[in-house]
Amino acid sequence: MFLGLDSSTQSLTAVLIDPPSGEITCQLSVNFGTDLPHYQSPSGFIPGGEAGEVHADPRMWLEALDLLFMRLTAKADLSRVKMISGSGQQHGSVYLDATFDQRLATLDSASDLVTQLAPALTRTTSPIWMDTSTGVECAEITSALGGPAEVCGRSGSIAIERFSGPQIRRFFKTQPMDYQRTDRIHLVSSFIASVLAGKSVAIDFGDGAGMNLLSLSKLGWDTDLLAATAPDLGTKLLPPTAATTIQGDISPYFIKKFGFSENCRTTLFTGDNPASLVGMGATTPGNVVISLGTSDTYFAAMPGPKTDPNGFGHVFGNPAGGFMSLICFRNGSLAREALRDQLGLDWSAFDRDALASTSDAAGKNLMLPFFGPEITPRHDFTGPVLEGSPAFKSGSAPALQVRALLEGQFLNMRLHSQWMEVKTERIRLTGGASKNDGIAQLVADVFQAPVERLDVSNSAALGAALVAAAADGQDLPALQEIFCKASVGSSLRPNPTLAGVYQEALGRFKSLIDASRR
Ligand code: ADP
Ligand code: XUL
């Protein structure tokens, strides 16, 4: 069996797979808010941060690991686990002194992880991906490198507030003494991987690319970015490596305490989005995952390290080799809900039948579907922009607005993923709104690609379990055929007669965006 872990914002999840039977043997989570209430982090982070700070307590992640394994022993025979891999929420960073490795090497299974490892923390809390406190540091790094295009071309993203490099710089500036006594900086992913391995292990290319520090072309730390971020940073980071790299045997702590076998090995961990790419069965170029959640995200495999000339999208390492894009759209379900409520509708107005009633209007009316500030494209929109027939603009025909909103969301995705230069062959749809057939059909039509939906719920932890199996020599595509199947009856074909309609609409949509951002 192979075990995948995902240490995400709100919970730590385990997925155990048994490739010979094709079964997911066990799925289990520890919820930080409800299971570990003493950290007073109901949603996984410490509430009330000031000036955009959002931090979490790394001790909570350690305690969750002990608790998760304790619960797993009641559900599964952990001595059958051959390999463990995992993922973490991206960008979060953990700061440790020179005793960390010694502590890992001598963990006593009669005690617990928090008691033995917390004294090594040089920063008691960890900034996570929701943190926006580093605007000044982003500007400093950008100017040191000579502009946003340079930072993006090297690292795959312009300097971004939540990315670990700007966060490290802020720590260096605000707590220079604590920075100085920091011997090792980990991401959430490499921190948990190190605990399991019983030694500090490297950051992988998938999560490492979310730091504004990794050179995509060299797949090593970029010395200019290191220098622009903080002094001696290169000595505090291990050289980055591929997620499938085996680290050796699991630490004796876990063998003694939870019954893992002495032959159980561990790999590096990666970020939750790269792991999801694996768990959604989308690691080969041509496959695209669109997640329609609170925000919408678009991620897809890419053969080479192309970067977004506009600086909106991000590029990370793909755990299966090559690269992947991640593009976030802030106005996702938030915008769909805003229009629904504004017009006094319910989700049935977004159904297939309701949308079919306006099929003659496909691509005719345009809506820039932004009810508030957007990041792709980056602009402080204050409300949607409408262009089209009087009935559409006046709101007297709500169905036309629903269609134009959805078309606008997917045209915007299509427009802002063109820089990847990868033809979309299949879209795998996930997230709360993906179950809506009307919305899913419009995705297929606008992108002119078949859409599938998956039963997978914990795609990151499942992806991690698949990475573990792949590291053990199993064939990843074959495993994905088994574990990442589209759910029966969920597939939708695009209507080919709309290809030209949306191709033409895309050009008009781009002009409208350009005019609105001027
Ligand atoms: P999160 O990003 O918080 O994980 P989810 O992926 O769970 O979010 O998606 C939740 C969102 O899905 C809700 O906010 C809601 O707007 C949307 N949603 C749920 N059901 C439907 C539906 N039938 N049609 C369209 N949107 C829906
Ligand atoms: C990606 C990002 C989030 C985190 C948490 O850039 O910030 O998706 O990985 O899930």
Side-chain angles (χ1 to χ4, degrees), residues 85 143 198 276 359:
S85 188
S143 115
S276 280
S359 54

Side-chain angles (χ1 to χ4, degrees), residues 329-351:
F329 302 86
R330 203 180 153 276
N331 283 271
S333 283
L334 293 174
R336 291 185 286 274
E337 284 170 17
L339 185 75
R340 180 197 64 185
D341 297 344
Q342 189 179 306
L343 298 175
L345 305 169
D346 59 37
W347 287 134
S348 65
F350 293 66
D351 281 352

Side-chain angles (χ1 to χ4, degrees), residues 6-9 88-92 128-130 160 162-163 207 210 271-274 297 314 316 326 328:
D6 176 43
S7 181
S8 74
T9 315
Q89 53 172 310
Q90 293 198 250
H91 319 300
I128 65 161
W129 64 278
M130 297 161 87
I160 299 280
R162 68 182 187 282
F163 277 37
D207 217 8
D272 56 357
N273 295 298
T297 54
H314 309 302
F316 300 141
L326 177 82
C328 303

Side-chain angles (χ1 to χ4, degrees), residues 462-494:
L462 172 63
L466 296 173
V467 167
D472 193 52
Q474 305 228 2
D475 183 48
L476 183 60
L479 289 172
Q480 286 173 318
E481 280 293 318
I482 299 170
F483 287 99
C484 320
K485 268 202 285 288
S487 40
V488 182
S490 77
S491 302
L492 297 167
R493 311 285 316 168

Side-chain angles (χ1 to χ4, degrees), residues 6-14 27-45 56-57 59-69 71-72 89 458:
D6 176 43
S7 181
S8 74
T9 315
Q10 306 213 29
S11 55
L12 174 68
T13 300
Q27 303 196 57
L28 210 66
S29 281
V30 167
N31 182 283
F32 301 139
T34 51
D35 290 320
L36 303 171
H38 43 287
Y39 290 102
Q40 297 175 353
S41 303
S43 304
F45 56 87
D57 193 328
R59 294 174 306 170
M60 177 179 78
W61 300 328
L62 292 173
E63 190 167 336
L65 198 58
D66 269 331
L67 180 58
L68 182 80
F69 282 151
R71 289 184 179 172
L72 269 177
Q89 53 172 310
N458 296 310

